[in-house]
C-alpha cells in the first residue's frame, strides 16, 4: 500500500522551510509504517483497514508529535512509531464514528460501513486500534498509560455526544465538553507524546499539552464554522451537513440565544432534521447572522489561549510553527 503524504499546515509560508522539510521527511516514514501496520493475512481485513489511510487525510496529529519533539531531540527512533500510534488511534475512531453517524462518505470516498457493512466497519476499527496498541506496547508503560487516559476521554466524548445533555444541563456546555473529549484530547496527547519521547523538559511538555488542548478545541470550532460558512469546493463536503442532520454547533447555539423577531424563522429550523429546501433556507439565514461573528470570536479566544501558552516556550522555528497553527485555525474559518 502507498499514499501521498499531505503537507498540511507545513505548507504555510510562515513555517520555517528547513523545519517543514525535516518534518515532511519524517511524515513519509510515518506514512509507510501506517500502511505496513494494517496489513493482515486476510485480504478483506487488509483492504478495509487500509481504506481510510488510502483516502488520505491531514496527518495532523502525527505532525504534532513530530513537531513537539523539536523541543527536545527529534532524532530518537521512538518518534516515528509514536506518531503512527496517535494517527492509527484517530483513524480507528473514524470507523466507529461513521457507523454511529450512518455516514455515507469519508474523505471523499464511500465510508467503510457503506462499502462493507456496519459489522466489518466496527471490527476494522477494533483491528486498527489493536495494531496501534501493539505498537504502543513497545514504547513503554508511560506511553500505554497516556494512551489509555486519552482513549478513555475519546469514549467518554462519544457517549456524551450520543446521549445528549442531561435534563437541566447547559447544551452549549455539553457541546464544549464533547469537543474537549472527542477532539482536543487526542490533539493534546499528540503533543505530549512528541515532547515526551523527544526528551523535552517536563515544563515544556506540560505547556505544549495545554496549548494543544486549546488548539484542538479551536480546530473543531473552526470545522463547525466552516460547515456553515464554506462552499463545498472549499471544505470538501456539502455545506450545512450538521444543519441537515439537526446537529447543533457553535454558530447555531449563538443563533438560538437570540431573541430578535427577525431571527424567529431561523431558530425554528435549528436542532431538527431538515429537508433540502429547509437546509438551504437555514444556511441563507445563518451565514449573515451575527451568530457567525460571535462563533468566530469564540474561536479566536481559544486560539488566543493556545498562543498564550506557547509564549513561554523557547523561541525558535518549532514555536513559530505552533503559533502559525493558531493563526491557521482562525483564518481557515473565514
Amino acid at each position: 500500500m502507498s499514499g501521498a503524504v499531505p503537507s498540511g499546515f507545513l505548507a504555510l509560508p510562515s513555517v520555517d522551510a528547513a523545519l517543514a522539510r525535516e518534518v515532511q521527511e519524517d511524515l513519509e516514514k510515518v506514512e509507510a509504517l501506517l500502511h505496513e501496520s494494517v496489513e493482515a493475512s486476510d485480504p478483506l481485513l487488509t483492504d478495509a483497514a487500509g481504506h481510510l489511510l488510502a483516502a488520505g487525510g491531514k496527518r495532523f496529529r502525527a505532525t504534532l508529535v513530530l513537531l513537539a519533539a523539536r523541543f527536545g531531540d527529534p532524532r530518537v527512533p521512538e518518534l516515528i512509531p509514536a506518531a503512527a500510534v496517535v494517527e492509527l488511534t484517530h483513524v480507528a475512531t473514524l470507523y466507529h464514528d461513521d457507523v454511529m453517524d450512518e455516514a455515507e462518505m469519508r474523505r471523499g470516498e464511500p465510508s467503510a460501513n457503506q462499502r462493507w457493512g456496519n459489522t466489518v466497519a466496527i471490527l476494522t476499527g477494533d483491528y486498527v486500534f489493536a495494531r496501534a496498541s501493539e505498537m504502543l506496547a513497545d514504547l513503554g508503560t508511560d506511553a500505554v498509560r497516556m494512551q489509555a487516559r486519552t482513549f478513555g476521554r475519546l469514549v467518554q466524548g462519544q457517549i456524551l455526544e450520543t446521549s445528549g445533555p442531561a435534563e437541566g444541563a447547559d447544551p452549549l456546555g455539553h457541546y464544549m465538553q464533547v469537543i474537549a473529549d472527542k477532539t482536543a484530547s487526542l490533539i493534546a496527547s499528540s503533543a505530549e507524546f512528541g515532547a515526551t519521547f523527544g526528551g523535552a523538559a517536563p515544563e515544556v511538555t506540560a505547556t505544549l499539552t495545554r496549548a494543544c488542548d486549546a488548539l484542538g478545541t479551536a480546530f473543531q470550532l473552526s470545522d463547525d464554522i466552516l460547515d456553515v460558512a464554506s462552499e463545498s469546493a472549499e471544505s470538501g463536503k456539502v455545506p450545512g451537513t450538521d444543519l441537515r442532520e439537526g446537529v447543533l454547533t457553535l454558530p447555531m447555539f449563538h443563533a438560538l440565544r437570540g431573541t430578535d423577531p427577525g431571527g424567529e424563522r431561523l431558530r425554528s429550523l435549528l436542532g431538527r432534521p431538515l429537508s433540502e429546501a429547509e437546509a438551504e433556507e437555514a444556511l441563507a439565514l445563518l451565514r449573515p447572522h451575527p451568530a457567525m461573528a460571535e462563533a468566530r470570536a469564540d474561536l479566536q479566544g481559544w486560539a488566543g489561549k493556545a498562543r498564550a501558552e506557547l509564549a513561554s516556550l523557547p523561541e525558535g522555528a518549532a514555536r513559530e510553527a505552533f503559533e502559525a497553527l493558531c493563526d491557521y485555525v482562525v483564518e481557515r474559518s473565514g
Side-chain angles (χ1 to χ4, degrees):
M1 295 182 185
S2 62
V5 183
S7 295
F9 77 89
L10 292 173
L12 294 177
S14 54
V15 175
D16 179 80
L19 173 64
R21 186 167 53 250
E22 291 170 5
V23 174
Q24 188 69 16
E25 289 172 356
D26 282 346
L27 269 180
E28 292 171 5
K29 298 174 186 176
V30 173
E31 192 72 13
L33 182 57
L34 288 173
H35 290 283
E36 177 187 330
S37 68
V38 298
E39 291 183 356
S41 58
D42 179 73
L44 171 60
L45 184 54
T46 297
D47 287 347
H51 179 64
L52 286 184
L53 291 177
K58 299 180 183 70
R59 304 294 185 257
F60 180 62
R61 292 150 189 84
T63 302
L64 289 179
V65 174
L66 300 172
L67 189 59
R70 265 60 192 177
F71 289 94
D73 182 1
R75 297 166 297 180
V76 295
E78 292 87 358
L79 281 175
I80 302 302
V85 163
V86 297
E87 197 63 44
L88 286 173
T89 301
H90 172 58
V91 169
T93 66
L94 298 183
Y95 283 95
H96 293 166
D97 283 353
D98 285 348
V99 170
M100 299 186 72
D101 297 341
E102 300 180 354
E104 296 182 359
M105 302 291 289
R106 169 69 71 175
R107 293 175 176 172
E109 299 289 337
S111 61
N113 47 298
Q114 285 293 314
R115 185 168 175 180
W116 291 286
N118 286 345
T119 300
V120 170
I122 291 170
L123 292 173
T124 300
D126 293 345
Y127 175 73
V128 172
F129 184 69
R131 296 313 304 266
S133 298
E134 184 179 350
M135 205 179 298
L136 188 69
D138 294 330
L139 296 176
T141 56
D142 287 344
V144 172
R145 187 175 297 108
M146 282 190 289
Q147 175 76 344
R149 184 176 67 243
T150 301
F151 196 69
R153 288 189 65 187
L154 291 171
V155 173
Q156 175 176 286
Q158 185 62 68
I159 290 175
L160 285 173
E161 184 176 58
T162 302
S163 63
E167 186 175 353
D170 175 23
L172 177 56
H174 178 271
Y175 160 79
M176 294 301 298
Q177 186 61 54
V178 169
I179 288 177
D181 288 336
K182 274 197 68 177
T183 302
S185 64
L186 187 55
I187 289 175
S189 182
S190 300
E192 185 178 18
F193 261 57
T196 299
F197 285 107
E203 62 273 17
V204 169
T205 301
T207 298
L208 278 170
T209 303
R210 290 192 303 270
C212 285
D213 191 79
L215 182 65
T217 295
F219 195 83
Q220 185 59 56
L221 294 180
S222 179
D223 268 358
D224 290 347
I225 294 170
L226 272 171
D227 187 59
V228 175
S230 71
E231 300 298 332
S232 57
E234 298 171 356
S235 66
K237 68 175 184 178
V238 178
T241 297
D242 294 325
L243 270 173
R244 285 173 172 79
E245 297 174 355
V247 175
L248 294 174
T249 60
L250 187 61
M252 298 172 228
F253 280 116
H254 282 306
L256 284 170
R257 289 183 168 186
T259 58
D260 61 301
E264 185 175 346
R265 174 56 180 166
L266 174 59
R267 293 192 292 272
S268 74
L269 293 169
L270 300 179
R272 61 178 176 86
L274 302 178
S275 68
E276 187 62 29
E278 288 176 325
E280 291 301 323
E281 181 185 4
L283 277 174
L285 292 170
L286 184 54
R287 282 171 171 163
H289 196 280
M292 294 297 288
E294 293 180 73
R296 289 191 174 99
D298 289 346
L299 164 61
Q300 290 171 346
W302 282 98
K305 183 177 180 181
R307 258 190 172 278
E309 291 284 358
L310 295 169
S312 66
L313 293 175
E315 293 183 359
R319 184 178 119 178
E320 290 170 3
F322 275 106
E323 289 171 339
L325 269 179
C326 296
D327 296 334
Y328 167 69
V329 296
V330 173
E331 292 164 0
R332 72 193 284 261
S333 72

